[in-house]
Amino acid sequence: MFHYLCLAVTMKAPNLRMCTTSCFLLVIILSSLSLQACGSQKANRPTVNVIIVGGTGDLAKKYLWQGFFNLYQEQNDGFTFSFIGAARMAATEGDGQLAKILQDNVSCAKSVRPDENCEAKLTEYRSIVTYRKLKTASDYADLCRDIGQDAAKEHGRLFYLSVPPFAYAGIAESIARGCRPSGGGWLRVVLEKPFGRDYSSAQDLAKKLSPYLREEEIYRIDHYLGKIGVESILPFRLFNQDTHKKLWDGEHIERVEIVMKEKIDSKGRLEFYDEYGVIRDVMQNHLTEIFTLVAMELPRNITSRAEFLDNKIRLLEQTRPVNAEQAVIAQYNGYVDQWREELGKDQSEETLVPTFAAGSLFVKNPRWSDVPFVLMAGKKLDERVGYVRVIFRDDAICVTNAGSGSQNKCAKNRQQVIFFTGNPGLKYPTILVSKQLPKPQVPPSWSIPDTDPNMEIFNEKLSNFYYFSPPKDQDAYTSLISACFKGDQQKFVGSRDLMASWNIWTPLLKSIENQKPRIYEGGDDTGSWLDFKVKGQTLSYIHQLGNAFDYQNVGSTFTSISDQFRSQPLITGEKESVITQLAQHLFNIAGQAIRERGSFHIALPGGSTPKSLFTHLAIRMSNRFPWHDTHFWMVDERCVPFNHTASNFKQLHDSLLKYVPVPYLNIHPMPVKLASGLCAAADRGTNTYASDLTLVPEGRLDYILLGMGSDGHVASIFPNHKIMTDTTAEVALTDGGPQDGIPHRMTLTFATINKARHVGVLILGRAKRGMVSVLSSEGVVNPLRYPVTGVRLEQGEQYWYIDHDALL
Ligand code: BG6
């Protein structure tokens, strides 16, 4: 009871106007002895004033108020705090907003000490946070006059600038003009990135701040330096110094990957994002900071901030500036649309800002020469994960058991050390070391987390690693706020290291200013499109655009087939998934065909079923598919002019061909309208098409996609049209078909279809269920009645793509 009251008085005391009548009543009923003890305890505490400029903004809401509450919990026994949330709005509005932010966003659940005292502390904390309007120089003067009343007791004053960088210089000036603690307390000003856009703008910013703030007063925050996985890198290295002296170098390490993948896109913050892009947003800062922790020389005296900084700066200065050959960039599909919408841009305007990039850093020193440090980051990727992966060289060749599979020790997986630096630290252990490497030493407080040893990480069982996690996974801002309070500048970015980092990235940023980034689909649909390789100093995409497409690296197997239909591979799922898999399959087969024969020949059907595939190819594979080497043929065509809405070719054209760079000579519509009219026998259009088909290597189309009608027809081969199932002609005219008013058609026959290298039958929608159920009995083979059963390839492979609606 006594303790609680004492805290209550303590919290009110710095601001006597807040002490209510009940407070005094409570004080009176305390014994005078207790009161004196409490009062002297409180009176002796040094005070700390915290001012969050931008205290009602997003960052403050999400992290800062909680982070300062955590600090309050940690340090309140020794200090008396005052917290001020400042913004430009009047107090009438600001008071309420701030109170709501504290109510909604700060909680014991997010606290580092969620013990039984937490709620009481939180109530205290909320009550000592006040709002202040800070707009003009005189607002600053008033504020600082108020908080500086008892100068001798002021231990320190922390300004957290959570505002855009253009405001930094003005605020720094106001602070310098009369806001430094006058009684010897410290002044610390925390700045949030971005610290410039390139070397010269960062230098400008530094010049603007230097008249007002000393370097030791500036705390440039990089919140990644407060993440537990990042904070663990140096302790891990220090604990393993002896082993690492032997192993932590280019003789043993092949490459280091420093990765930050995000699933979110940039929507909602495009004004900022488009000014910066992925390299400035996270690579120049977060990933480069991590790089320094992995690659710098360890300070001999671990507590020496000066030695740490010297080593960090030396490393950055030894790192070669990145040029365009050492990097790849890309932008997610839809970024430009979001940008136009959010910033009110015109349809004709473009932005080339990359949302994905990878770049390799090389260090010119004996330890690291020729070891690529590959930094990679992107938005709208398939997963959210951040890690450092140190991959060791593997050049041992085993003699004993060399040929006996699992016994060959040298053929085992890569030796690696992994630090998980992103947020899902709870899912994986924070640090993993391959068991082929010496068993690491770790600080005594690190433990082995209770994670499923069969869990796979980089294709390897967790049980193949030694693994550890440091004790608490506290939020990065909490860790850095606490470090700032303690004056631990090592966890912050200094001006010289900042400039050295910009020096590394600025040449690349300049050289890609007008470079069109590769477009990627985003999420899982990106597939392997962003995969890249590092060869010597060059970093390049594996899959190249257009004619330069690197077919050697395109997979040729279709891995997702898990089921069978009529003893043939079945690809099933929801419609979208079936279409995505079909498109990927076509992509793989195209790669294989071009690799083997120089071109890819595909025949496509009409009707409503393939339309979603066409759209998918046009939008999602526009930059990916080898359009230049693909020939488009028709499976069948209605005898109508090409501009008729029922024309299959028109549909293919309108949904796909007009959007993609297929050479004109690669497009082969069926000649349904010749001299004498539509599908006139005298024009011998079927012969013309058959002779065009001799262009196809060995007369075998690489892929024929068929739709299937609910009566089982495929192409324009309808039930009970004997001639169509018997004909040896490659192309034929038919007058059968459903009553759609267009009975005459031209079609490939089974003679052509069954010669193909691959045939896929695409079946979507409930209307096809009946026929799918008939076909599910494999014994049903009756091409006359069910033409689809006439598809029986001589040598090729047949696939079924059936969505759940049609299959279940
Ligand atoms: C910020 C970037 O610095 O870091 C954002 O500006 C990014 O673009 C964010 O999303 C990621 O941080 P975290 O902590 O969520 O991994």
Side-chain angles (χ1 to χ4, degrees), residues 193 223-224 227 260 262 269 281 286 379 384 423:
K193 74 177 182 61
H223 78 282
Y224 263 66
K227 297 223 176 211
M260 177 178 170
E262 295 185 272
R269 59 196 289 253
D281 186 34
H286 304 330
K379 296 270 185 211
R384 169 155 163 74
N423 290 345

